[in-house]
Amino acid sequence: LTAARGVLLCPITMGLLLQSLFLLLLLLLGSCLHPAAAFPKGCYPSEEEGLKTFRCSNAQLTEVPRDIPNDTNKLYLDSNQIPFLPRDAFRDLPLLLELDLSHNAIARIESGAFQGLAEHLHSLDLSSNRLVSVSKDTFSNLKAKVNLSNNPWLCDCRLQELIRAVELAADSSGGIVCESSTQEEHVGKAFLQVIADTDLCNVYKKTTDIAMLVTMFGWFAMVISYLVYYVRQNQEDARRHLEYLKSLPSKQRRSEESSTISTVV
């Protein structure tokens, strides 16, 4: 009887063992196909309103994460500590529609950072960062509505060119305020109010022209001063030489005077 039980239990044990091995193999295959470990801590994919979304909000990131699924439609990188955006930061996301980079520490954006997003991206949020000055070429060919509010902007010709090159998100223009400015009276004012009254690029051009004129006048004055000094110095030398000649005997004096006069002429 005992032997019979052993014969019956052996196939059952082997079956359970094979089943466990099969489940383990499925788990390993699943982890290879969907490597959750590739995502930074605090980041996860989801689907919202039929759009593939990747959220990394408040994940303590210090750079744009890699291995973001390339079929992502909405990317949330808000509320992190990202300091700058390198070139081609989002080049592998051709289907991206919305990009939220608000509430970071972004102070610099390299040229070409948004390269590859021109065709599909329709919303870009860069509000509440540390942007002071950005070239208009940074957003070249982008059709997205951009939120640039709540940054410590330097209000100058460069910012004026940037604002005119992008389409601002609705109700975000009032949040673009002059933290500093080339003209002290503009500090603390909304930038659109400033450029409504003053063309900063024209002011910059006038200032540059005046500076060039002052510089040229300075060089001209130096040249004139040198010429005046040179002529006066030569006159003084000639006068001294003539006085010396007068003290010489008459015959030698006439010979020296003729030589001096010809030299002066």
Side-chain angles (χ1 to χ4, degrees), residues 41-110:
K41 183 179 179 181
C43 299
Y44 61 91
S46 63
E47 188 165 327
E48 300 177 8
E49 300 177 352
L51 297 174
K52 293 188 176 181
T53 303
F54 194 74
R55 286 190 175 273
C56 287
S57 302
N58 201 21
Q60 299 183 350
L61 298 177
T62 56
E63 62 180 3
V64 176
R66 301 177 182 179
D67 301 319
I68 299 172
N70 57 15
D71 60 350
T72 298
N73 302 127
K74 299 171 71 175
L75 177 59
Y76 292 88
L77 299 175
D78 55 299
S79 303
N80 286 289
Q81 291 93 43
I82 300 172
F84 81 103
L85 301 178
R87 182 180 179 85
D88 295 325
F90 308 99
R91 65 177 179 180
D92 296 324
L93 302 173
L95 302 180
L96 198 62
L97 301 175
E98 296 182 20
L99 175 58
D100 189 347
L101 291 160
S102 62
H103 296 90
N104 272 280
I106 300 171
R108 183 167 60 93
I109 304 176
E110 291 187 354

Side-chain angles (χ1 to χ4, degrees), residues 9 66 116 154:
L9 288 173
R66 301 177 182 179
L154 166 63

Side-chain angles (χ1 to χ4, degrees), residues 196-261:
D197 302 326
T198 307
D199 186 342
L200 293 179
C201 293
N202 191 40
V203 169
Y204 174 77
K205 185 177 183 300
K206 286 181 178 178
T207 303
T208 304
D209 291 344
I210 291 172
M212 289 181 64
L213 286 173
V214 170
T215 303
M216 290 175 64
F217 179 79
W219 280 105
F220 182 73
M222 288 177 62
V223 171
I224 295 299
S225 298
Y226 175 76
L227 288 175
V228 171
Y229 170 78
Y230 180 79
V231 170
R232 287 182 176 177
Q233 187 66 32
N234 282 351
Q235 287 177 344
E236 183 66 20
D237 291 342
R239 186 185 63 78
R240 289 175 181 175
H241 191 62
L242 287 173
E243 288 179 354
Y244 167 73
L245 291 176
K246 289 177 181 179
S247 64
L248 295 175
S250 59
K251 186 175 180 180
Q252 182 180 0
R253 184 175 59 199
R254 283 195 297 271
S255 174
E256 291 289 340
E257 282 179 351
S258 62
S259 175
T260 301
I261 292 170

Side-chain angles (χ1 to χ4, degrees), residues 109-140:
I109 304 176
E110 291 187 354
S111 178
F114 303 113
Q115 190 169 318
L117 301 180
E119 293 185 7
H120 296 93
L121 192 71
H122 64 70
S123 177
L124 173 60
D125 194 344
L126 285 164
S127 63
S128 301
N129 277 282
R130 298 178 185 174
L131 296 172
V132 175
S133 183
V134 179
S135 170
K136 64 177 182 178
D137 297 332
T138 303
F139 302 95
S140 179

Side-chain angles (χ1 to χ4, degrees), residues 126-129 131 147-153 155 159 163 168-179 188-193:
L126 285 164
S127 63
S128 301
N129 277 282
L131 296 172
N147 188 342
L148 298 172
S149 61
N150 299 320
N151 281 280
W153 290 110
C155 291
L159 180 59
I163 297 301
L168 296 177
D171 301 323
S172 69
S173 59
I176 303 175
V177 177
C178 301
E179 179 79 11
K189 292 183 178 180
F191 185 67
L192 291 190
Q193 177 187 347

